[in-house]
Amino acid sequence: GIQVEQSPPDLILQEGANSTLRCNFSDSVNNLQWFHQNPWGQLINLFYIPSGTKQNGRLSATTVATERYSLLYISSSQTTDSGVYFCAVQSGAGSYQLTFGKGTKLSVIP
Amino acid sequence: DSGVTQTPKHLITATGQRVTLRCSPRSGDLSVYWYQQSLDQGLQFLIQYYNGEERAKGNILERFSAQQFPDLHSELNLSSLELGDSALYFCASSPPGTTTQYFGPGTRLLVL
């Protein structure tokens, strides 16, 4: 099956700093989603981005499907951005399940 | 709030017992997915239903089963529970014609 690798595994930032999280995948994808899992365990949809670039406030994401990677940018980080960021992909015709990476654990300190 | 609801939020039970987790998808969504998040395995797909029919199976144990009812809510049944079944169980749904999945708040299961 498809492999999803996220880097870095852990990231500690000072409040106000910017960061880039990376997701590499091993095959072509029909769907790619970024999620934020907050400290209470909730998985929050950030982006649906199988290709191209999207922005939502301080967050933006870019997927280069031909090169099999996606990037999530967080600018002017806040303590509420802390948590785990997951990249998940869907690959193959008729296959609707999401395969998740292991996540990047982000800690934003004041 | 994704619009997907799951009950209960927390569940504590003993080894050997059976539990049922419930999920209501977003209004209009026909697909329901179940995922398990454990410390050692990460987030893994278990099973998908579409409009009452099983559509895809992932790493779901034989002790686990699921169904989707005519009103589109779904239940995940876990039986002969073991300590290793302790995990966060998520339900997700997606609208017809799209592949975007929206996740519920999860049910945290602790098997003692």
Side-chain angles (χ1 to χ4, degrees):
Chain A
I2 192 167
Q3 305 297 314
V4 181
E5 290 185 7
Q6 292 187 243
S7 59
D10 295 280
L11 189 56
I12 301 175
L13 293 179
Q14 202 79 38
E15 202 169 20
N18 302 329
S19 62
T20 301
L21 282 55
R22 187 176 179 104
C23 171
N24 291 334
F25 42 95
S26 60
D27 204 347
S28 58
V29 297
N30 304 317
N31 175 13
L32 187 146
Q33 290 183 245
W34 282 98
F35 296 90
H36 174 216
Q37 186 167 38
N38 64 24
W40 294 270
Q42 283 185 299
L43 271 174
I44 299 158
N45 261 318
L46 297 177
F47 294 102
Y48 166 80
I49 187 163
S51 63
T53 297
K54 288 187 177 178
Q55 178 150 10
N56 185 3
R58 296 180 296 102
L59 302 182
S60 64
T62 294
T63 297
V64 184
T66 51
E67 296 188 23
R68 299 183 183 165
Y69 73 89
S70 183
L71 302 174
L72 178 69
Y73 304 97
I74 305 174
S75 64
S76 305
S77 57
Q78 301 175 357
T79 55
T80 51
D81 295 331
S82 296
V84 183
Y85 289 81
F86 288 101
C87 166
V89 303
Q90 196 176 67
S91 178
S95 169
Y96 301 101
Q97 67 209 60
L98 286 173
T99 300
F100 283 79
K102 293 188 188 302
T104 291
K105 184 176 179 183
L106 175 65
S107 302
V108 181
I109 54 177
Chain B
D1 185 352
S2 68
V4 179
T5 60
Q6 289 187 248
T7 55
K9 285 190 169 55
H10 302 277
L11 201 46
I12 302 175
T13 188
T15 54
Q17 295 298 304
R18 172 188 166 97
V19 296
T20 297
L21 312 184
R22 183 188 168 103
C23 167
S24 292
R26 298 178 341 141
S27 176
D29 289 1
L30 301 180
S31 279
V32 168
Y33 308 78
W34 286 97
Y35 292 85
Q36 178 195 58
Q37 185 178 28
S38 62
L39 283 175
D40 53 344
Q41 298 289 333
L43 265 157
Q44 289 201 91
F45 168 73
L46 295 178
I47 196 163
Q48 179 205 356
Y49 279 82
Y50 178 84
N51 203 19
E53 303 273 333
E54 182 185 301
R55 176 65 69 91
K57 250 183 176 175
N59 297 323
I60 187 165
L61 299 171
E62 283 192 15
R63 301 183 284 108
F64 295 1
S65 64
Q67 52 185 325
Q68 187 179 25
F69 294 88
D71 67 351
L72 300 177
H73 91 271
S74 178
E75 292 180 356
L76 179 66
N77 300 296
L78 314 177
S79 62
S80 302
L81 284 166
E82 301 175 1
L83 296 177
D85 298 327
S86 296
L88 193 47
Y89 291 84
F90 287 104
C91 168
S93 72
S94 63
T98 78
T99 54
T100 308
Q101 294 184 26
Y102 299 89
F103 280 71
T107 292
R108 197 174 292 273
L109 173 67
L110 180 59
V111 182
L112 299 175

